[in-house]
Amino acid sequence: MVAEALLAVLSLAASQTAGPILSYDAVVRCAGLTQAASELEGGESREGRLLYDAALYWSLTAIQVAQANGRSPAAADADQTRARIRAVRELAAGAPETAAELQRCRDRTPRLG
């Protein structure tokens, strides 16, 4: 039941996402960036909730792309963890290119609610 709901959300989101399809590495990077930003922001604010939604979308998308590319769920999870740790360091350091990359990921995130 939960899997069906997640697939429905991903299908809807995929149909709303504009632009070319991203590579696995780019999807994992967006997952890591949005997870890190969500973690740093916290979930109390509107911004925090939006970041959490984006992180959920990119995380599920990364798992789906990983499976399509023959990667195991464990490998996909490990890739996302590494991407999140890297992004936390970069965002905490105030790297402007990382902030711009995060914004591009957020721009590509479909409206989920």
Side-chain angles (χ1 to χ4, degrees), residues 23-25 27-28 59-77 79-80:
S23 69
Y24 173 74
D25 290 337
V27 171
V28 168
S59 179
L60 293 172
T61 301
I63 291 167
Q64 193 174 46
V65 173
Q67 289 174 337
N69 286 307
R71 287 184 169 89
S72 73
D77 188 49
D79 291 343
Q80 287 184 60

Side-chain angles (χ1 to χ4, degrees), residues 12 23 28 32 35-36 40 59-60 63 68 71-72 76 78 82 88 90 93 100 107 112:
L12 172 65
S23 69
V28 168
Q35 289 170 23
L40 292 169
S59 179
L60 293 172
I63 291 167
R71 287 184 169 89
S72 73
R82 282 189 295 278
V88 165
E90 293 170 352
D107 291 343
L112 301 177

Side-chain angles (χ1 to χ4, degrees), residues 33-46:
L33 284 165
T34 54
Q35 289 170 23
S38 174
E39 201 175 288
L40 292 169
E41 177 67 27
E44 298 79 35
S45 67
R46 181 182 189 295

Side-chain angles (χ1 to χ4, degrees), residues 74-100:
D77 188 49
D79 291 343
Q80 287 184 60
T81 298
R82 282 189 295 278
R84 180 184 50 77
I85 291 167
R86 174 183 166 204
V88 165
R89 289 181 186 137
E90 293 170 352
L91 290 170
E97 61 278 357
T98 302

Side-chain angles (χ1 to χ4, degrees), residues 14 16-24 26-27 30 57-58 61 104 108:
Q16 294 178 355
T17 303
I21 296 173
L22 295 175
S23 69
Y24 173 74
V27 171
C30 282
Y57 167 77
W58 286 109
T61 301
R104 285 190 295 275
R108 293 185 66 96

